[in-house]
Amino acid sequence: DIQVTQSPSSLSASVGDRVNITCRASQSTIFVNWYQVKPGKAPKLLIYSASNLQSGVPSRFSGTRSGTDLTLTISDLQPEDFATYYCQQTSTLLPTFGQGTKVDVK
Amino acid sequence: QVRLQESGPGLVKPSETLSLTCSVSGASVSTSPFYWSWFRQPPGKGLECIGYVYSDGSANYNPSLKSRVTMSVDTSKNRFSLKLASATAADTAVYYCARVFSGPGQRKFDFWGQGMLVTVSS
């Protein structure tokens, strides 16, 4: 099974900041998605297959991959971006998630 | 716009069956290459995939839950369902349904319901 380890578990940032969240996979894979989750709201797919922006998602969100390291970048943090973010590997039949990163207000 | 909405009892007694339905609008549960999934997130814990159901009624389940889980699809009502037998307090969680798209070089869960808290308690 492929495991993903996400870091940091939380971070504090200000509007306008550049934010990076990382997942390390136990094996090299492009099958990693990124989601934004807010309480009481439907999770939102941001990035699929490591670096592809889902339709309708603002371009300030981007995903990159270097070997087994995958990074979600929010280039210009907006007020609506304070949320919890998860990576998800879908290489195996049962997807597994990172532990989540909570982005809150500094 | 594709929308998914979970429904069912928010409180289930221990040893009873937890039953949830996901109603789909803006898309058909019969259409390939989509299929349908359930996830859950216990309080303070991570997200877990429960399994998938396909439009022909076949399904794949998480081995840790396989003995207790049944998923089905109702094409006439455009919805799909989850049943989890012999519920315990450990099954208390927010339950989500989601649509899955699988294609060359991608497998993504592109639309989700807003989630529903189910508490198992007497």
Side-chain angles (χ1 to χ4, degrees), chain A residues 30 32 34 47-53 62-65 70:
Chain A
I30 67 162
V32 172
W34 291 93
I47 301 289
Y48 65 93
S49 301
S51 59
N52 296 277
L53 189 68
S62 62
T64 57
R65 170 179 168 257
L70 298 109

Side-chain angles (χ1 to χ4, degrees), chain B residues 9-122:
Chain B
L11 181 63
V12 176
K13 288 184 168 52
S15 80
E16 294 190 346
T17 296
L18 184 159
S19 296
L20 294 175
T21 295
C22 183
S23 299
V24 179
S25 59
S28 170
V29 297
S30 304
T31 304
S32 297
F34 302 108
Y35 48 103
W36 309 91
S37 62
W38 289 97
F39 292 83
R40 69 180 184 178
Q41 185 169 30
K45 296 189 177 181
L47 285 155
E48 176 184 43
C49 181
I50 302 171
Y52 308 106
V53 63
Y54 303 88
S55 58
D56 65 358
S58 61
N60 291 106
Y61 303 137
N62 187 321
S64 69
L65 299 168
K66 188 174 183 178
S67 64
R68 300 194 289 131
V69 171
T70 304
M71 293 182 187
S72 60
V73 63
D74 185 340
T75 55
S76 66
K77 294 183 177 178
N78 211 39
R79 66 188 191 188
F80 58 105
S81 300
L82 166 71
K83 292 187 187 299
L84 183 63
S86 305
T88 71
D91 295 315
T92 294
V94 175
Y95 286 77
Y96 296 97
C97 56
R99 186 178 82 166
V100 191
F101 173 78
S102 187
Q106 61 180 289
R107 184 152 69 105
K108 60 184 181 180
F109 298 74
D110 57 355
F111 291 97
W112 295 65
Q114 66 183 38
M116 179 171 178
L117 175 63
V118 179
T119 301
V120 180
S121 175
S122 56

Side-chain angles (χ1 to χ4, degrees), chain A:
Chain A
D1 286 0
I2 295 180
Q3 306 302 320
V4 285
T5 304
Q6 186 174 343
S7 62
S9 58
S10 65
L11 64 90
S12 297
S14 301
V15 172
D17 282 355
R18 182 182 184 89
V19 168
N20 289 314
I21 300 169
T22 298
C23 266
R24 175 160 289 173
S26 56
Q27 301 175 38
S28 181
T29 177
I30 67 162
F31 288 96
V32 172
N33 305 325
W34 291 93
Y35 299 88
Q36 178 191 70
V37 181
K38 296 180 179 179
K41 296 265 185 96
K44 182 179 181 181
L45 173 66
L46 302 172
I47 301 289
Y48 65 93
S49 301
S51 59
N52 296 277
L53 189 68
Q54 175 68 3
S55 175
V57 173
S59 59
R60 63 180 180 273
F61 292 93
S62 62
T64 57
R65 170 179 168 257
S66 177
T68 59
D69 288 344
L70 298 109
T71 301
L72 173 70
T73 298
I74 311 172
S75 61
D76 176 21
L77 194 70
Q78 295 299 297
E80 59 269 30
D81 299 337
F82 292 102
T84 301
Y85 294 84
Y86 292 89
C87 60
Q88 175 201 46
Q89 71 79 20
T90 59
S91 296
T92 53
L93 180 61
L94 274 182
T96 54
F97 293 84
Q99 295 82 351
T101 298
K102 185 174 183 179
V103 178
D104 61 20
V105 179
K106 183 184 285 185

